Amino acid sequence: MPDAGREPPPGAAGSDSQNGHEGTGAGTSAGKASEYAGAPNPDVQLPELDESQLRTLARAGREWEKTTGGARSPGLPVDLETASYPSVAATPTRFGRFAHIAAGEGRSPEVRATAETESLPSLWGRAGQAARQILLGPPLAATAIAMERMRKLVAMPVLSADAISSIAYGPEAMLAILVLAGGAGLNYTLPIAAVIGLLMLAVGASYRQTIRAYPGGGGSYLVAGDNLGRIAGLTAGAGLATDYILTVAVSVASGTAAISSAIPSLAPDRVAIGLAVIALLLAGNLRGVRQAGALFALPTYLFILVIGALIVTGGVHAAGRGWHPLPPPRLTATEGVGILLILRAFASGSTAMTGIEAISNAVPAFRPVEWRNSRTTLTLMIGTLVVLFAGTIMLVKLDGVVYIPGNTVLSQLAHRDFGAGWLYFVTQATTAGILLLAANTAYNDFPRLLYLMARDRQAPRLFLLIGDRLAFSNGIIALSVAAAVVLAGFGGRTESLIPLFAVGVFLAFTLSQTGMIVHWWRHRDQPRWLRSLAFNATGAFLSAAVFITAAVTKFTAGAWAAVLIVVLFIFTALRIRRFYDRAGQALSLRPHGVLEMPERPPSPAPGRRQIKPAPEREAAPPGTEAKPATEAEAEDAPGEIHNLTIVPIATLDLSAMRTLAYAASFRQPVLALHISPTDTEAERFRYYWKTWGNHLPLQVIVSPHRALVAPIYHYVWSLHHDRPDLTLTVMLPEIVVRHWWQRALHNQNAPRLRRVLRPLPQVVVTSVPFHLPA
């Protein structure tokens, strides 16, 4: 049972990351232990055990003691006591590679990895570490998470760039449909724009209510899942994922179109330019949220100022001619005005709303007070968006501008009101800048969405990992690859991507707002619940109208692909969840029959030589090198082998416990090794270990920059350097799956450790496979 005199430490939940398995059988959802949903949490890799699971762990410890007859593991041939670890050393021994922390409460001392242990001591390892630091900057410890949050001045351009940049293609997409009906179709520009403006206000107000209800962060995936069920949450997540990928592709394609409008000779290279911009976004976001925000803030503010100046200048020109609109060019109608055409124009123009949900998804990215700052930023964004959208539509009508392939609407407006001088090129440059960088909004939210889904075991758990700069690096890379494929596949043409865009966006809007209706109905005891419900109901109705319109009217134009992507996304997520559920059941501890160990062998017969632990010896003095492999590996008799088994473990699931039992069955010294990203996680693991019974020695290494393989390598090397006469057996728990695609659902740390440890002399690396039935 848990130690009655010691309170369990705080912590978060998650999965294994050290020895090739995910620990899916135990622990509550990681994010539910965190105050802010989707906030980076390096402790997410260790499952948080509830009371029932702690009792099971304690029973497993008693079963271990019963099957071993209460015998303890043989004493370690190395000294883990505090006095054995000098604080300073001139040579790269264990003392220089790891900073020692004094032990407490009778436990083994804590070892903290230093910068030297964050890379492997090979040429490629050092080169890779140096390249990462040059491109991304030095790694950040988890304690810097709070510093990586954004203030409102930075969050406004970072999270609003997607919505505000849609001014460059939303009105144009609407006009591209209306010109098909000639001048008669253009007469519907203002009524349709008015409805879209109303929709912006309604959806913006609705998301303010979402932030109020979910002050810790409430994206469409969470809101729909909490209130409408798992399938609804996955559907919203699929819509959001499609939206984010297309946000990058459409923004970059629109930015390259703005460049080619000003410099037509670059038109053939728009795909190459777009891929280069995606690479820039990838590198910028891998450097962390705060640095990416500072880098990308200026283009957004410049765009707002330039478009505001354009609207004012155009208004002055119109006032000078008595507000009489200029006649548009003569158009040839290819189809008549009908309800279908109006609905198509409405759905296309509604793409000007993309990105409105970004702030409610990213509440944890704000500085305290998070919910208040995010609501303020959302209000500023909606106000700016409505003003710019209405002003742009007014200028389109007053200047007689229509959709012309190869010449964007903003380019035509700037040319008419600013002329062909430097202001025109400034307008095109700022438009290209915000469009190319507006994708940064997706880089903030898409990785967080995958993190939340991985937390719920509905996406590969590699998306739980946090990179060197405290960003969700795997999600950022996945978004870049997907967006690059879409951009190249569609040849960088914005008009080909728009039909895919609206479906995912408004599917997520609809489910999120519908979920909020259910939320307020369940919480009718809260003040002003009815008003909040009315706001969300309005947003849900209008969003559903746009979604249905886009799905029906643009189905043959490409919306079918978005619908197919959503279906495949849900199917894949459900398959992943089923796999993790079955793996969790297989890996969960089951006392009585699981930890059975063979009977203790009989005592050796008289005269037969008995293998004993290696005698204690002094640590190697500074400057002493380990014996060459030819000398250290010259044993040819069992009595000459002095063995220490090291078992790296991350969670106390069945795979890890089986490996520990297998190692202990040889009656040789065994040392359990755990890598912790934070002191909090280290303390929690020690508590679990003590709950189990502390049957084997445990060494915890705190790796503040979340390095894993390199600290284990350096620790093993340090033990060998200190005791070159020992044979170190590194025993790795390893998950074995039945299908090739399931390998991506588990980390590959065990194979990596085998590769890097194999060159070390006197080190034997072996795996204890755990075969999953699913």
Side-chain angles (χ1 to χ4, degrees):
M1 293 184 63
D3 181 26
R6 185 180 178 195
E7 291 295 325
S15 66
D16 176 304
S17 68
Q18 293 181 29
N19 44 33
H21 61 285
E22 266 62 28
T24 52
T28 57
S29 179
K32 291 179 175 60
S34 178
E35 182 180 359
Y36 295 107
N41 182 8
D43 295 348
V44 75
Q45 298 300 313
L46 178 65
E48 183 179 6
L49 305 184
D50 57 25
E51 287 300 323
S52 174
Q53 292 161 337
L54 287 172
R55 287 193 294 269
T56 300
L57 182 62
R59 286 199 298 270
R62 291 195 297 271
E63 185 70 14
W64 176 292
E65 185 175 9
K66 182 190 304 182
T67 55
T68 58
R72 286 284 178 178
S73 172
L76 294 178
V78 292
D79 191 357
L80 300 181
E81 294 300 323
T82 304
S84 300
Y85 290 80
S87 58
V88 180
T91 57
T93 64
R94 182 190 322 165
F95 320 130
R97 292 174 180 267
F98 298 93
H100 182 69
I101 309 298
E105 301 183 8
R107 65 171 182 256
S108 299
E110 178 185 298
V111 176
R112 187 177 299 273
T114 62
E116 187 179 3
T117 64
E118 292 174 351
S119 63
L120 296 173
S122 64
L123 176 61
W124 290 109
R126 290 191 296 269
Q129 181 74 0
R132 284 200 306 272
Q133 294 203 14
I134 292 173
L135 294 175
L136 309 179
L140 298 175
T143 52
I145 287 179
M147 297 178 60
E148 285 297 295
R149 296 190 180 189
M150 296 180 288
R151 61 186 190 274
K152 294 192 292 292
L153 188 64
V154 174
M156 170 67 179
V158 170
L159 299 176
S160 302
D162 181 16
I164 293 174
S165 68
S166 61
I167 297 298
Y169 56 80
E172 182 170 312
M174 179 182 66
L175 292 174
I177 302 298
L178 292 178
V179 295
L180 298 176
L186 293 177
N187 292 332
Y188 289 89
T189 300
L190 292 181
I192 294 175
V195 175
I196 294 175
L198 175 63
L199 183 60
M200 290 177 180
L201 293 173
V203 174
S206 299
Y207 274 107
R208 279 181 55 87
Q209 308 311 312
T210 301
I211 295 174
R212 175 190 163 204
Y214 288 84
S220 299
Y221 170 73
L222 287 178
V223 174
D226 285 350
N227 298 288
L228 302 177
R230 181 191 301 175
I231 299 300
L234 284 176
T235 304
L240 283 176
T242 305
D243 173 26
Y244 294 141
I245 294 172
L246 291 174
T247 290
V248 178
V250 170
S251 297
V252 171
S254 299
T256 56
I259 294 174
S260 61
S261 293
I263 311 175
S265 60
L266 294 178
D269 301 321
R270 57 186 177 186
V271 173
I273 295 173
L275 294 178
V277 171
I278 291 177
L280 174 65
L281 290 167
L282 170 63
N285 280 278
L286 287 177
R287 292 186 66 89
V289 173
R290 187 165 57 92
Q291 289 205 13
L295 177 65
F296 300 149
L298 183 59
T300 304
Y301 283 125
L302 283 178
F303 179 78
I304 294 173
L305 290 175
V306 169
I307 299 303
L310 177 62
I311 293 171
V312 171
T313 303
V316 170
H317 291 167
R321 60 177 183 265
W323 298 100
H324 295 298
L326 297 176
R330 188 175 182 86
L331 300 172
T332 301
T334 58
E335 61 181 271
V337 177
I339 186 63
L340 185 61
L341 181 135
I342 293 174
L343 290 176
R344 286 166 54 198
F346 172 65
S348 295
S350 296
T351 56
M353 293 178 51
T354 57
I356 284 181
E357 84 290 347
I359 291 177
S360 69
N361 293 347
V363 173
F366 283 83
R367 289 184 178 177
V369 178
E370 291 83 355
W371 67 268
R372 181 179 297 128
N373 289 335
S374 61
R375 276 174 64 110
T376 302
T377 307
L378 176 61
T379 302
L380 292 174
M381 181 191 74
I382 294 297
T384 304
L385 178 61
V386 171
V387 169
L388 294 183
F389 179 78
T392 302
I393 293 296
M394 179 195 72
L395 278 192
V396 165
K397 200 65 178 170
L398 291 172
D399 288 352
V401 170
V402 299
Y403 171 74
I404 300 176
N407 194 7
T408 64
V409 168
L410 284 184
S411 175
Q412 297 178 60
L413 291 175
H415 199 276
R416 292 198 178 193
D417 292 309
F418 284 156
W422 65 273
L423 281 176
Y424 168 76
F425 289 98
V426 169
T427 303
Q428 291 302 96
T430 55
T431 301
I434 191 174
L435 285 168
L436 295 175
L437 301 180
N440 195 60
T441 301
Y443 277 95
N444 278 274
D445 288 340
F446 181 84
R448 185 173 285 108
L449 170 65
L450 290 183
Y451 170 85
L452 292 172
M453 293 184 63
R455 183 201 69 182
D456 295 335
R457 304 190 303 278
Q458 295 179 148
R461 300 187 72 83
L462 61 90
F463 293 115
L464 290 172
L465 303 180
I466 300 172
D468 288 352
R469 303 289 295 180
L470 301 177
F472 298 120
S473 300
N474 291 328
I476 291 172
I477 294 171
L479 175 60
S480 299
V481 171
V485 170
V486 171
L487 181 72
F490 283 85
R493 296 186 300 273
T494 308
E495 62 275 10
S496 301
L497 295 170
I498 290 294
L500 299 171
F501 207 8
V503 173
V505 174
F506 286 96
L507 174 61
F509 283 3
T510 302
L511 289 172
S512 175
Q513 300 311 308
T514 304
M516 287 304 303
I517 295 173
V518 176
H519 171 85
W520 292 122
W521 184 255
R522 290 175 176 172
H523 297 82
R524 297 190 295 275
D525 56 333
Q526 293 191 8
R528 302 189 301 276
W529 70 270
L530 187 59
R531 188 186 69 174
S532 299
L533 188 148
F535 275 122
N536 288 122
T538 303
F541 174 77
L542 294 175
S543 298
V546 178
F547 167 67
I548 295 172
T549 300
V552 173
T553 61
K554 297 180 177 293
F555 189 81
T556 57
W560 64 269
V563 175
L564 179 61
I565 291 171
V566 168
V567 173
L568 291 176
F569 188 95
I570 296 172
F571 174 77
T572 303
L574 290 176
R575 287 290 302 271
I576 291 173
R577 174 61 182 260
R578 185 176 69 173
F579 171 80
Y580 278 135
D581 285 346
R582 291 180 177 179
Q585 293 175 1
L587 289 165
S588 60
L589 294 180
R590 298 181 295 275
H592 310 294
V594 169
L595 300 175
E596 298 289 347
M597 297 175 62
E599 294 295 329
R600 183 179 295 275
S603 300
R608 183 179 298 175
R609 185 175 183 180
Q610 183 177 8
I611 300 175
K612 299 180 179 180
E616 296 287 342
R617 56 176 286 172
E618 296 181 357
T624 303
E625 296 295 332
K627 290 191 294 185
T630 53
E631 296 182 29
E633 298 177 342
E635 304 94 337
D636 58 0
E640 297 177 357
I641 301 292
H642 305 299
N643 183 62
L644 169 62
T645 301
I646 303 169
V647 183
I649 58 174
T651 59
L652 296 177
D653 61 8
L654 185 55
S655 176
M657 300 302 290
R658 183 171 180 269
T659 305
L660 290 172
Y662 181 73
S665 68
F666 292 99
R667 313 299 176 185
Q668 293 291 318
V670 178
L671 173 64
L673 180 63
H674 178 74
I675 307 296
S676 292
T678 66
D679 294 319
T680 301
E681 197 262 16
E683 185 67 19
R684 186 151 54 89
F685 190 86
R686 290 194 192 93
Y687 172 74
Y688 295 161
W689 191 259
K690 188 173 183 179
T691 299
W692 173 62
N694 203 22
H695 297 292
L696 294 171
L698 170 68
Q699 180 69 74
V700 174
I701 298 176
V702 177
S703 179
H705 297 147
R706 300 160 301 285
L708 182 75
V709 173
I712 293 177
Y713 170 89
H714 285 288
Y715 187 76
V716 173
W717 184 93
S718 299
L719 289 176
H720 167 69
H721 186 274
D722 191 28
R723 291 293 307 273
D725 60 308
L726 284 178
T727 296
L728 303 176
T729 300
V730 181
M731 198 169 288
L732 304 172
E734 185 171 7
I735 292 293
V736 179
V737 296
R738 295 182 61 182
H739 305 289
W740 64 268
W741 62 269
Q742 295 172 340
R743 295 193 192 104
L745 304 180
H746 294 277
N747 64 54
Q748 300 300 313
N749 289 324
R752 291 173 60 201
L753 282 168
R754 280 200 300 270
R755 286 195 299 270
V756 302
L757 292 174
R758 190 180 294 120
L760 292 179
Q762 291 290 98
V763 175
V764 177
V765 185
T766 185
S767 297
V768 179
F770 187 93
H771 297 81
L772 290 180

